[in-house]
Amino acid sequence: MTVTYAYCLCSSIIGPLEFTFFRTFDPFYQRNLTSFDRLLEGRGHKFVRYADDCVIYVKSKRAAERVMTSCKKYLEEKLKLKVNREKSNTGSPLKLKFLGFSLYKVRGKAGIRPHQKSIKRFKDRVRQITSRKSGRSIQQILKELKMFTTGWLGYFAIADMKKRITALNEWIRRRIRMYLWKQCKKVSARFKNLKLFKISKSKAWEWANSRKGYWRIANSWILSRSLTNEYLASIRYDNISKRFPKLKLIKKY
């Protein structure tokens, strides 16, 4: 079995030094690794372990190095596990990703939020779903988008990210507006559709002939006024900024 781990240094506000231990999940090793949990408990370490991920908190960087050495010895000599030394490191838990989450400072305490890598993967997936290369209808796009965001929000609902969700919601709407704008390949089609949304003839013609990029136009007043939030809701866009507070309330209880 391959074992990898990392140690992360906390700030004084959050508290101690954080040690993270990652290992390959295999039911065969669960019984042996329980003894590792007992070892940490016996030493009085604060730690969290979920399946194949474990985070251990100690008070200083020196303590982290000492814990790393002793844990490595125990895992390799006692449990006969191979430790992956390349992935061992020290740093702040504010930067650590644990189960997709990270910590942040708030009013002298620690809060929880999705890690930047989790946000990046979220955006990458949304880009993939809303890509014009797929050649699907907007209804199919919105259906798949809702399925993905439902699962993602369900997992991260315990995090503090009200502002982040609002920003992501606006970003997704912009992606959808760009997708709809790209569907109109010809100037005549864009001109006709803009007029259908009660845009004046002169402005409709002006923007139908615009040479600005798709992404830039998706953030323009012309599409915000024609492809309004209400219109997006009418074609069944699922507003994640409205759904998130409800899911967070459910998770709270």
Side-chain angles (χ1 to χ4, degrees):
M1 176 179 175
T2 301
V3 179
T4 59
Y5 53 86
Y7 294 83
C8 297
L9 181 62
C10 263
S11 67
S12 58
I13 289 182
I14 292 180
L17 189 101
E18 186 171 315
F19 158 81
T20 309
F21 159 75
F22 300 98
R23 56 183 170 73
T24 304
F25 179 73
D26 189 330
F28 178 76
Y29 293 102
Q30 295 307 302
R31 182 167 49 189
N32 288 334
L33 286 171
T34 298
S35 64
F36 179 66
D37 296 342
R38 299 294 174 263
L39 174 71
L40 298 176
E41 290 175 352
R43 292 180 178 181
H45 292 311
K46 294 181 179 180
F47 71 98
V48 179
R49 183 164 73 87
Y50 179 80
D52 56 349
D53 292 330
C54 181
V55 180
I56 304 170
Y57 297 89
V58 292
K59 294 183 177 180
S60 66
K61 185 174 182 178
R62 185 175 180 180
E65 293 171 351
R66 184 175 65 250
V67 171
M68 177 174 65
T69 301
S70 62
C71 286
K72 180 174 62 177
K73 182 178 180 180
Y74 181 83
L75 291 167
E76 291 184 332
E77 297 182 9
K78 181 72 174 179
L79 300 183
K80 307 301 181 182
L81 302 175
K82 182 179 179 181
V83 176
N84 188 330
R85 301 168 187 267
E86 293 181 359
K87 294 184 179 180
S88 301
N89 61 80
T90 60
S92 170
L94 301 178
K95 298 179 181 179
L96 170 73
K97 182 172 74 69
F98 180 64
L99 302 178
F101 295 92
S102 64
L103 301 177
Y104 71 101
K105 303 175 186 178
V106 54
R107 302 185 189 90
K109 297 181 180 180
I112 183 174
R113 63 185 175 187
H115 192 271
Q116 285 298 323
K117 289 184 179 180
S118 299
I119 297 296
K120 183 181 182 301
R121 282 197 294 269
F122 174 87
K123 286 191 168 185
D124 288 344
R125 180 57 181 148
V126 172
R127 287 190 185 99
Q128 183 182 16
I129 293 173
T130 57
S131 173
R132 276 288 295 146
K133 295 179 181 179
S134 61
R136 295 173 297 167
S137 68
I138 188 61
Q139 287 73 26
Q140 291 174 312
I141 294 293
L142 294 177
K143 182 179 180 180
E144 185 176 350
L145 191 60
K146 182 177 181 179
M147 291 177 61
F148 168 66
T149 56
T150 296
W152 194 87
L153 287 176
Y155 181 76
F156 286 103
I158 61 172
D160 303 322
M161 54 174 179
K162 184 178 179 181
K163 291 183 179 179
R164 172 70 73 176
I165 285 295
T166 299
L168 287 174
N169 190 56
E170 291 304 316
W171 179 79
I172 295 173
R173 280 173 172 162
R174 186 175 176 181
R175 291 286 309 178
I176 295 171
R177 289 186 176 107
M178 182 177 71
Y179 187 91
L180 292 170
W181 184 250
K182 279 185 174 182
Q183 283 187 321
C184 302
K185 296 292 186 180
K186 297 182 179 180
V187 172
S188 58
R190 293 174 182 173
F191 177 63
K192 179 181 179 180
N193 285 325
L194 286 174
K195 287 198 301 177
L196 288 175
F197 286 106
K198 299 182 180 180
I199 301 298
S200 66
K201 186 176 180 179
S202 59
K203 286 297 180 181
W205 183 252
E206 176 186 340
W207 283 92
N209 286 276
S210 176
R211 293 182 177 274
K212 293 180 180 179
Y214 292 120
W215 184 241
R216 187 175 177 183
I217 292 179
N219 197 41
S220 66
W221 70 268
I222 196 71
L223 290 194
S224 296
R225 186 174 169 183
S226 54
L227 303 178
T228 63
N229 294 343
E230 292 74 19
Y231 172 76
L232 296 182
S234 72
I235 60 174
R236 298 188 177 181
Y237 166 65
D238 188 51
N239 190 328
I240 62 173
S241 62
K242 287 185 178 180
R243 188 147 49 89
F244 174 69
K246 298 177 182 177
L247 288 173
K248 189 170 182 63
L249 186 63
I250 293 173
K251 288 284 185 177
K252 187 176 180 180
Y253 295 100

